[in-house]
Amino acid sequence: MYSVYGQVFFTLGVIMAIQSMRHSRLRLAQALPWLALFGILHGLHEWGDVFIPIQATYLSDFLVKLLHIAQVFLLALSFLCLFHFGLGTLSPLPPAWRWSFWVPTWIFVLWLLGPFYLGLAMVPEIEDWHAMAAALARYSLGLPGGLVAAYGLRVHAHRHIAPLDLPHILRTLRIAGLAMAGYGIAGGFFGPLVPFFPGNVLNETVVFQALGVPMPVWRSLLGLILLVALLRSLEIFEVEIDRRVEEMERANILTLERERIGRDLHDRILQQLYAAGLLVEALREQGKPDSSTNQVLDHILLTLNRAIEDVRLYISTLQGVSHPDRLRSLLEEIARDPRFRSMIDIEARIDVPDLPLEPEQGAHLAAILTEALSNVIRHARARRAKLEARIEDGRLRIGVCDDGIGMRPDHPIGMGLRTMQERARLLGGILRIESEPGQGTSVWIELPTG
């Protein structure tokens, strides 16, 4: 029974540790490491109830006492992590309540100085001290920690998940909150039998006599419900990534459309306005200097010049934020882009001179690298990516390399890759893709240094 109990919470801790490595803006992701520590430490504590009685037959009394001390310490430390998880889901706290972040640590220190240290010196029997110290750890850290964590999950669900219109995730997160509250009561309030209130009235023995089911079974069931509900709730990370990728795709499409409109305005409308202005200038030179016709032509010429300035202003507005006109600056800006860094670790290795760029060159290069990083996030299932730039054999090589799942040699080329290849051709270079299944993918642009 204790083995299964420990396995439930140890599994919870390991899975939450894996999930906590995701890049997410949600507060839940930032608080998951605390929950992972709680699960692992609590599982180790419960396995102590299996390990210590067996080892007591073979070890000396001193070593058995050390095992009891370590087990109680793990219990209190696990509840401390649970308390911090609850406060993490409530972050950021209002300025007037930020001091509460240190409350679990203060309680833990007081418990260490009192029941743990002084109790160990004053209570002669190690089993009696174990029950007393464990019960006080449950009352002071486990019960409030579980209830705060349950409240934090509920607040997080309504504050951050409900606006996303994901009812199934909202529902499972509520179930996780209820399971956490139940565990806070079962694990923090109903502890071992001790000779003081409330442990002398409400304890594990009373529950077993009343319901016929040991308290560890109830805690295991609540832990299992918590694990399943949290696993289903963490689908929110996938939804978050999908939506942010969609936002980047829409932004990329909008940028391309603005570029097309800007080119059309420059190559067609603006040139026609220039041509009209030249015709007006020619007519003006053929007329008499002080004629009324020339005055009308001057007015038309002024209107055309104003129209030309308006079109130029509109083209610059369509372009939005201009890309840097130097190569290193452009690459460093892309590597720091928060759209990508918030979802994947990006390492920049830029070993090239700060070459000048024409605006069109910068736009093409930025579009290629942006599409490559978007593909890493969207398809590669990678955790890290590198943006590299160097000079090799007299040519400029710029690449995006990831540690993802890679591609087969016969992987079909989509519209995004074809567009990248076309942009590389317009820059006077070529696009190379190096990939093997399970070995990641590297997208390289090879350009002449001139």
Side-chain angles (χ1 to χ4, degrees):
M1 181 178 62
Y2 281 109
S3 177
V4 172
Y5 181 14
Q7 188 171 358
V8 167
F9 281 90
F10 191 83
T11 303
L12 170 69
V14 171
I15 293 178
M16 293 303 108
I18 295 172
Q19 295 292 330
S20 67
M21 297 178 184
R22 292 176 175 267
H23 292 270
S24 173
R25 297 175 183 174
L26 296 174
R27 288 288 175 182
L28 181 61
Q30 300 171 22
L32 279 184
W34 288 110
L35 185 60
L37 280 174
F38 160 72
I40 292 172
L41 295 175
H42 201 67
L44 293 175
H45 163 266
E46 295 304 329
W47 280 335
D49 287 328
V50 180
F51 180 77
I52 294 176
I54 297 174
Q55 296 303 313
T57 307
Y58 307 101
L59 300 178
S60 65
D61 292 342
F62 176 74
L63 291 178
V64 172
K65 184 177 181 179
L66 288 181
L67 290 176
H68 278 286
I69 293 172
Q71 186 185 18
V72 175
F73 182 79
L74 285 176
L75 177 67
L77 192 60
S78 69
F79 287 144
L80 173 66
C81 295
L82 180 63
F83 212 145
H84 276 296
F85 167 73
L87 293 175
T89 56
L90 293 172
S91 296
L93 296 171
W97 286 91
R98 287 179 182 170
W99 57 268
S100 61
F101 182 80
W102 296 100
V103 168
T105 304
W106 297 338
I107 295 174
F108 181 72
V109 170
L110 291 175
W111 176 86
L112 279 178
L113 296 175
F116 187 80
Y117 179 71
L118 293 178
L120 192 61
M122 297 173 62
V123 179
E125 296 295 331
I126 189 64
E127 289 80 8
D128 296 338
W129 170 84
H130 187 144
M132 181 269 297
L136 290 176
R138 292 179 184 277
Y139 299 149
S140 60
L141 289 168
L143 178 60
L147 296 180
V148 169
Y151 177 70
L153 287 173
R154 182 175 181 82
V155 169
H156 187 84
H158 288 277
R159 184 183 296 171
H160 301 288
I161 307 302
L164 299 178
D165 192 24
L166 299 168
H168 66 290
I169 294 180
L170 180 64
R171 184 168 54 252
T172 53
L173 204 54
R174 286 174 176 170
I175 294 173
L178 292 174
M180 182 66 79
Y183 174 77
I185 296 172
F189 195 70
F190 293 95
L193 175 63
V194 288
F196 52 83
F197 185 82
N200 58 349
V201 178
L202 298 173
N203 51 64
E204 297 174 350
T205 304
V206 171
V207 172
F208 180 59
Q209 292 174 348
L211 303 177
V213 179
M215 182 54 70
V217 174
W218 296 109
R219 294 174 188 157
S220 299
L221 290 174
L222 291 168
L224 188 60
I225 295 172
L226 177 64
L227 171 59
V228 174
L230 280 177
L231 270 179
R232 298 200 61 186
S233 301
L234 294 184
E235 292 177 13
I236 185 62
F237 295 152
E238 300 293 340
V239 175
E240 181 191 19
I241 290 177
D242 290 343
R243 291 191 175 185
R244 289 164 67 184
V245 168
E246 289 175 2
E247 290 175 4
M248 287 190 295
E249 289 177 342
R250 286 195 295 268
N252 194 34
I253 292 172
L254 182 59
T255 299
L256 294 175
E257 187 64 17
R258 285 177 172 178
E259 290 179 2
R260 185 191 64 80
I261 294 173
R263 284 195 301 268
D264 289 345
L265 287 173
H266 181 272
D267 298 340
R268 298 180 183 179
I269 308 301
L270 201 57
Q271 298 306 319
Q272 292 176 8
L273 290 174
Y274 280 135
L278 292 174
L279 290 174
V280 171
E281 285 280 4
L283 290 173
R284 185 175 177 278
E285 291 177 358
Q286 295 175 4
K288 296 180 180 180
D290 297 328
S291 66
S292 59
T293 302
N294 277 2
Q295 293 178 0
V296 173
L297 293 175
D298 287 340
H299 183 70
I300 294 174
L301 192 60
L302 179 63
T303 302
L304 286 172
N305 287 333
R306 288 177 178 173
I308 290 172
E309 293 300 323
D310 289 342
V311 172
R312 284 177 173 172
L313 179 62
Y314 186 60
I315 291 174
S316 63
T317 302
L318 280 173
Q319 291 176 346
V321 180
S322 60
H323 297 293
D325 58 357
R326 311 292 296 188
L327 179 60
R328 286 184 62 91
S329 302
L330 174 64
L331 298 177
E332 290 170 354
E333 181 182 272
I334 293 173
R336 292 193 303 265
D337 194 326
R339 295 178 302 170
F340 304 122
R341 294 191 72 89
S342 61
M343 289 187 284
I344 192 171
D345 292 330
I346 299 178
E347 178 186 356
R349 294 182 178 179
I350 302 171
D351 186 19
V352 293
D354 204 12
L355 302 173
L357 293 173
E358 296 294 334
E360 187 175 357
Q361 292 175 329
H364 284 314
L365 187 56
I368 293 172
L369 297 176
T370 299
E371 180 68 19
L373 288 170
S374 298
N375 287 338
V376 171
I377 295 170
R378 191 165 49 234
H379 304 300
R381 302 180 193 171
R383 296 189 50 77
R384 296 177 181 85
K386 288 187 294 186
L387 177 58
E388 299 188 43
R390 58 179 180 267
I391 303 291
E392 283 187 3
D393 300 328
R395 293 179 65 82
L396 174 64
R397 283 172 54 87
I398 303 173
V400 173
C401 310
D402 65 67
D403 61 353
I405 59 175
M407 297 187 300
R408 299 188 309 274
D410 59 345
H411 186 83
I413 297 178
M415 180 61 70
L417 287 177
R418 285 196 291 269
T419 303
M420 293 165 66
Q421 291 173 339
E422 178 63 19
R423 287 184 179 275
R425 187 188 64 80
L426 292 173
L427 287 171
I430 58 174
L431 187 79
R432 297 187 186 276
I433 300 174
E434 302 170 358
S435 182
E436 291 290 340
Q439 301 298 320
T441 303
S442 299
V443 178
W444 291 98
I445 318 161
E446 295 185 2
L447 303 169
T449 54

